[in-house]
Amino acid sequence: MSVGSNIKHDSSYGHVTGESIFVDDREATNSEVFVGIVGSPVACGKLISIDASAALKHKSCVGVYSASDFCSKKWGTIFKDQPIIVEDNIGYMGEPLCIFASTNRYDIEHIKTLFKFKIDKASPVFSISDSVAKNNIIYSSPSAFVQGDVEKVFKSATNILEGTFICGGQDHFYMESQACIAYPMENGQIEVHSSTQNPSETQRVVAEALGLSLHHVVCVVKRMGGAFGGKESQAAPIAAYAAVVAKKLKKPARLILTKDEDMIITGKRHPFENDYKVAFDNEGKINGFKIILKSDAGAYSDLSSSILERSMLHADGAYYLKNVYIQGLAYKTNNHSNTAYRGFGAPQGNMTIESVIEDIACFLKKDAFEIRRLNIYQKDNIKTPYNQNIENNMLPDIFDQLHKSSDYKNRLVEINNFNKQKNGKIKGISFTATKFGIAFTSRFLNQGSAIVNVQLDGSVQVSTGATEMGQGVNTKIQQVVSSAFGIPVNNVQIMTTSTEKNHNTSPTAASAGFDINGSAAIKACNKIKSRLCELAKLIFENTTENNKKNTFTEFEVNNKDLDLDFIFKDNLVTQTSTKKEISFKKLVFKAYNNRISIGEYSFYKTPEIGFCKNTVKGKAFNYFTQGAVVTEVLIDEYTGEMKVMKSDILMDLGRPINPDIDKGQVTGAFIQGMGWVTTERLFYDTDGNLISHSPTTYKIPNIQDIPRVFNVDFLLNKNKIKNIYGSKAVGEPPFLLGLSAWTAVKHALSYRSNGKPVNITSPVTGEVILNKLTDLKNGN
């Protein structure tokens, strides 16, 4: 059985050898043109006119296109408020004003300099605080999450802390930038090959931009070179640009953004400024918590409302809050239209309460682990602020097991002794947790489909709506299908995702890609297996001389429930009651000869899911993926340089489909989360130009930044989990554990703060650390 085994990633060899095909690896045709984007030179204003005369005189420029060439002027995943390309009002620096086609891709950068624009410049707003002052709200949560009475608690509280937690944005920095090739087909059809997490939305936006019906557009996704949420919505207008050029010129059109272009044009993780107030007793028990989450949506709404909602849903972190008030507001600014990012708002909510707990510990002169262990969800207090019970809560087990296995107690003593030496270096340690809800918060997205086709040689082709971006979703689906039929995993091929095979697909996001599409695939397998079982039973019962001589006999088979008397294993189908068996391949061939379908389409929807944000009722998540980490850091007090010395992670992933792939997801998510809170700072000038728009100016973690000692382990969880094979999603939950590097820095700095809580922003770069140390030395 391949489920639970460490099967290699289906693209591993291809990635290593360079044989994997990405969008820009597709061979160019002789007639193909290349598309360039010309961005706005201002962050706010009104576009009056475009002078493209000089560009059109260039020998390789064969067309310039603006808003008037698009049938639909605006797009949006939730609210249709963002121009596909600027028609009049400009929302942010670098926003596309027009596109052009060139016969030579190497002329694109020069042609971009030949355009002239007449623009009435206006005053931009870049910060959340300035937008708050203007009351420029783009979205407000319909209802606050309220439990108990926080105001009453505050009036009689023993201790109160309040303040504002600030965290910055983050660029997705995927290896493959936004990319698309559009092919004009016969009868006015368009075939789009896109690096997108959301084929159906890309199909829809392209169709609307061209004025076509959806059945005239096909979106194809082989794989992506990373995405992390950045290709959930924002790949769609990129595809529309290529498609418009392809339709206008009746030639294939290729649009591949450079890393600089991609970082300038596309949105980031939402920066947040969260106002909080917390009441607690002298033991550190939180009695009341109030938080107002404020996000920078950027110029347009994009996915900001859903991201804000998930941030509210994770503002409790892993901690039970008897009296709580959670509200959320998204503000419009003249920054990039911010978008989905791994964690989808949960890190910005979760990080606030982890920071607050560090402050409580510092205020009470206690160990932060004690405060966390006291406040985590226990076995008996499992109701969240949004009225959902936590089933199979493993947090106490995770905390206690990791506390012991990481030797936290002795390490804390060692750190205390080390920091007393005052030798120019300080250490910090932090134990933080994740309790990540798995499901789309929009109920209708919790659906998927699969097509499973068994071939006559017993091999299987599977098509789903899932898209592969390196996370291994194809490999996991391959494993569950091979286990279902009892055949080698190499006999199962996951086909290229295409909207003509799987329609109305949900984006591969919310860590639910495998849960939804894998479940659909299993459902299709079981329908085929039920027919094969019935056929096998008839074959085993037919003992006539003709049958023994392999003469043809036709059987009538009806669709029935899967017969549990049969086992599919080791290329054999065995009836357990009679011990009779037949090879899977032979049974498949007999099914074909008897005109019995060995292919199936299946649809799956996550059961019992549905949350109403207006009434704060219903089940927001199918289940929770939980985990914890202990991270230790070392800081040079003279330079502000920080090194992560050790991280120990313990995750509850149920019963993993592929432990090695899951381990890769845990380590990768942790490092990406760590990067967000330590090194990945976005720099802008006063006009709104992104200065850090390249690998040389934007600092993602490298090999020197990862923990010197890095341990990842999985908790043995034998509980009944309502998911495919008892597994749990892993893509986003561990990202929240990377925040422990930031809280560990905060803990280290507390040794120099004279017992006062340390107020720092995120990311806590070396510069931030050095400035804070200087402030603390000066008594500030």
Side-chain angles (χ1 to χ4, degrees), residues 466-678:
T467 56
E468 177 63 59
M469 62 195 88
Q471 83 280 34
V473 66
N474 283 352
T475 305
K476 287 187 174 183
I477 294 174
Q478 188 181 31
Q479 286 181 259
V480 297
V481 171
S482 76
S483 290
F485 288 123
I487 59 177
V489 71
N490 289 336
N491 283 11
V492 179
Q493 179 65 52
I494 308 301
M495 308 305 290
T496 299
T497 306
S498 172
T499 55
E500 68 176 333
K501 289 182 288 188
N502 295 92
H503 62 298
N504 302 330
T505 58
S506 295
T508 305
S511 300
F514 170 71
D515 289 6
I516 292 171
N517 294 282
S519 295
I522 285 294
K523 196 173 178 181
C525 291
N526 287 341
K527 290 181 180 179
I528 296 170
K529 287 170 67 178
S530 68
R531 296 193 288 269
L532 292 177
C533 288
E534 194 175 350
L535 175 60
K537 185 181 292 186
L538 291 172
I539 292 171
F540 294 157
E541 290 173 353
N542 189 334
T543 57
T544 64
E545 198 66 29
N546 284 340
N547 189 52
K548 291 179 180 179
K549 294 178 180 178
N550 293 319
T551 55
F552 179 75
T553 304
E554 184 163 346
F555 301 97
E556 287 294 330
V557 173
N558 301 309
N559 281 306
K560 294 183 178 180
D561 292 335
L562 185 61
D563 194 331
L564 300 179
D565 189 28
F566 285 85
I567 295 175
F568 288 68
K569 187 178 180 181
D570 297 331
N571 285 315
L572 296 172
V573 180
T574 305
Q575 188 175 31
T576 56
S577 59
T578 65
K579 307 300 182 183
K580 292 181 179 180
E581 62 185 29
I582 185 173
S583 74
F584 178 73
K585 180 179 178 180
K586 186 175 182 180
L587 182 59
V588 164
F589 194 76
K590 282 184 174 290
Y592 169 73
N593 278 337
N594 283 276
R595 297 180 296 178
I596 297 168
S597 173
I598 47 176
E600 190 64 62
Y601 167 88
S602 187
F603 175 80
Y604 175 82
K605 59 182 179 180
T606 308
E608 302 173 5
I609 204 81
F611 176 72
C612 178
K613 64 185 78 173
N614 295 303
T615 60
V616 195
K617 290 182 179 179
K619 188 177 180 182
F621 301 115
N622 191 30
Y623 60 88
F624 294 89
T625 296
Q626 301 170 329
V629 63
V630 177
T631 294
E632 182 179 330
V633 300
L634 175 68
I635 294 172
D636 187 315
E637 295 186 84
Y638 299 113
T639 64
E641 181 186 20
M642 185 274 289
K643 295 179 180 178
V644 180
M645 304 307 294
K646 186 178 182 182
S647 290
D648 299 278
I649 294 175
L650 180 62
M651 293 290 299
D652 167 27
L653 299 180
R655 292 177 285 284
I657 301 294
N658 189 315
D660 274 2
I661 281 181
D662 285 356
K663 187 175 183 179
Q665 286 294 289
V666 171
T667 55
F670 175 87
I671 292 167
Q672 192 172 41
M674 184 189 74
W676 173 49
V677 299
T678 59

Side-chain angles (χ1 to χ4, degrees), residues 92 168-174 228-230 234 259-271 296-298 302 304 307 335-342 348 676 682 684 690 692-694 698:
Y92 64 94
Q170 182 181 22
D171 190 84
H172 301 86
F173 216 85
Y174 27 65
F228 310 117
Q234 298 200 357
K259 178 56 68 178
D260 299 84
E261 286 179 310
D262 193 297
M263 294 184 74
I264 290 169
I265 293 172
T266 61
K268 320 297 178 193
R269 180 184 296 280
H270 290 67
D296 178 352
D302 198 89
S304 295
I307 289 165
N335 296 318
H336 335 256
S337 186
N338 290 316
T339 190
Y341 202 122
R342 197 176 197 169
Q348 295 95 314
W676 173 49
L682 295 160
Y684 300 84
L690 178 65
S692 51
H693 59 74
S694 71
Y698 185 75

Side-chain angles (χ1 to χ4, degrees), residues 314 317-318 390-395 398 433-439 510-511 515 621-628 650-654 662 666 714 717 721 723 727-737:
H314 288 80
I390 304 174
E391 300 174 1
N392 300 320
N393 178 28
M394 301 300 292
L395 284 168
I398 291 170
T434 181
K435 172 190 64 65
F436 197 95
I438 304 299
S511 300
D515 289 6
F621 301 115
N622 191 30
Y623 60 88
F624 294 89
T625 296
Q626 301 170 329
L650 180 62
M651 293 290 299
D652 167 27
L653 299 180
D662 285 356
V666 171
F714 299 148
N717 185 348
I721 299 166
N723 196 43
S727 65
K728 285 190 174 186
V730 66
E732 293 172 290
F735 184 98
L736 279 63
L737 299 180

